[in-house]
Amino acid sequence: MGKNKILIIDDDQQICKILRDYFNYEEFEVFVAHDGREGLEKINNLEPDVIILDLMLPEKNGLDICRELKPHNQIPIIILSAKNRENDRIKGLELGADDYVTKPFSPREVVLRTKNLLRRTKSEENKEQLEFPGLIINQEQRLVEVKGEEVSLAPKEFDLLWQLASSPKTVFSREKLLELVWEFDYYGGIRTVDTHIKSIRNKLGAEVGEYIQTVWGIGYKFVD
């Protein structure tokens, strides 16, 4: 099995060097871009397994890159930014990023979060498939089909759908979904769960989207 490819898009060369050293030590294949346009070119050419993305970039900023990549591109994104306000974190996650780390940061934590994200998205073990009328969710391929047509979900959207569909009729609070799907302590607020649920329902369509039901005042459940 080859090394996981990671693309770091950041205009701070010192940060890139530090992260490159840490990821090289963990046997990642590391690539670097210092502006948004170069980053998009390398994403298309390299097809990395994960992207570490700064928000404040020359040429094209990180949020614009997220808008262009999501929801059709399945590459996981970790935002690395000096912007630490709640609204900035929420906006990045709502645009499809899978994690948000604020500067200054611990390189070891960034590596740990990356490994954890890859472990979830690649799903190399415990391969399963869930089937419901009009809906197939394949964890191994991270594939969602609605009435025979493939539907593209962002990585966190897939993880959230899988979590709910794996335990039909179980009521999950928003806080519990943040804990289970995002895993690390998350300070962006529970609103991001609602945003992801809305996006999933829209992509699944009116009929199949009704599998995800709102439990008012608590959270959500999956009912087939």
Side-chain angles (χ1 to χ4, degrees):
M1 184 175 179
K3 294 182 178 180
N4 286 311
K5 292 189 291 186
I6 184 165
L7 174 60
I8 303 166
I9 308 175
D10 198 308
D11 61 338
D12 189 319
Q13 297 194 20
Q14 183 63 22
I15 285 177
C16 290
K17 182 182 183 304
I18 292 170
L19 288 176
R20 183 195 288 273
D21 289 344
Y22 272 82
F23 279 108
N24 277 333
Y25 182 79
E26 296 293 335
E27 299 188 343
F28 281 78
E29 189 175 4
V30 185
F31 301 89
V32 173
H34 294 302
D35 65 63
R37 294 191 186 280
E38 181 189 7
L40 279 174
E41 289 177 3
K42 288 192 173 181
I43 291 168
N44 294 328
N45 294 331
L46 297 170
E47 296 185 357
D49 295 294
V50 65
I51 299 166
I52 306 291
L53 178 65
D54 186 23
L55 288 186
M56 300 177 68
L57 292 166
E59 303 296 334
K60 186 181 288 287
N61 68 47
L63 291 179
D64 286 338
I65 291 175
C66 281
R67 287 189 187 97
E68 291 193 29
L69 289 180
K70 302 293 183 175
H72 305 294
N73 197 306
Q74 295 293 312
I75 302 174
I77 295 174
I78 298 176
I79 286 179
L80 193 64
S81 177
K83 293 185 174 183
N84 58 7
R85 295 181 305 173
E86 179 178 333
N87 285 341
D88 293 319
R89 294 194 294 270
I90 290 174
K91 189 171 184 180
L93 292 164
E94 288 178 347
L95 284 174
D98 301 278
D99 203 350
Y100 195 111
V101 180
T102 57
K103 300 176 182 179
F105 60 88
S106 161
R108 291 179 61 191
E109 180 183 354
V110 173
V111 172
L112 178 61
R113 286 176 180 251
T114 302
K115 285 182 168 182
N116 189 63
L117 181 57
L118 283 170
R119 185 172 62 249
R120 294 200 310 270
T121 57
K122 295 216 169 182
S123 302
E124 293 176 343
E125 298 179 355
N126 301 320
K127 300 171 181 176
E128 299 179 56
Q129 178 165 295
L130 301 175
E131 298 187 17
F132 307 94
L135 176 65
I136 295 174
I137 312 169
N138 187 292
Q139 189 184 43
E140 177 184 0
Q141 300 176 24
R142 297 187 67 80
L143 173 71
V144 177
E145 289 187 358
V146 174
K147 299 178 181 178
E149 296 292 328
E150 184 175 348
V151 174
S152 179
L153 298 185
K156 271 294 182 294
E157 293 172 351
F158 181 91
D159 293 339
L160 187 53
L161 176 61
W162 181 266
Q163 182 65 53
L164 291 167
S166 297
S167 302
K169 299 182 175 63
T170 300
V171 177
F172 293 91
S173 69
R174 293 170 175 83
E175 291 82 3
K176 188 64 176 179
L177 288 171
L178 282 172
E179 176 187 338
L180 292 170
V181 175
W182 277 261
E183 293 196 14
F184 288 89
D185 290 338
Y186 174 61
Y187 304 101
I190 61 176
R191 194 178 79 185
T192 193
V193 175
D194 297 333
T195 301
H196 280 71
I197 291 291
K198 181 179 179 181
S199 179
I200 294 168
R201 283 171 170 163
N202 288 338
K203 292 177 181 179
L204 296 182
E207 183 178 342
V208 176
E210 290 180 359
Y211 284 144
I212 303 175
Q213 296 186 4
T214 301
V215 181
W216 298 108
I218 302 176
Y220 298 95
K221 64 179 179 179
F222 188 96
V223 180
D224 59 342

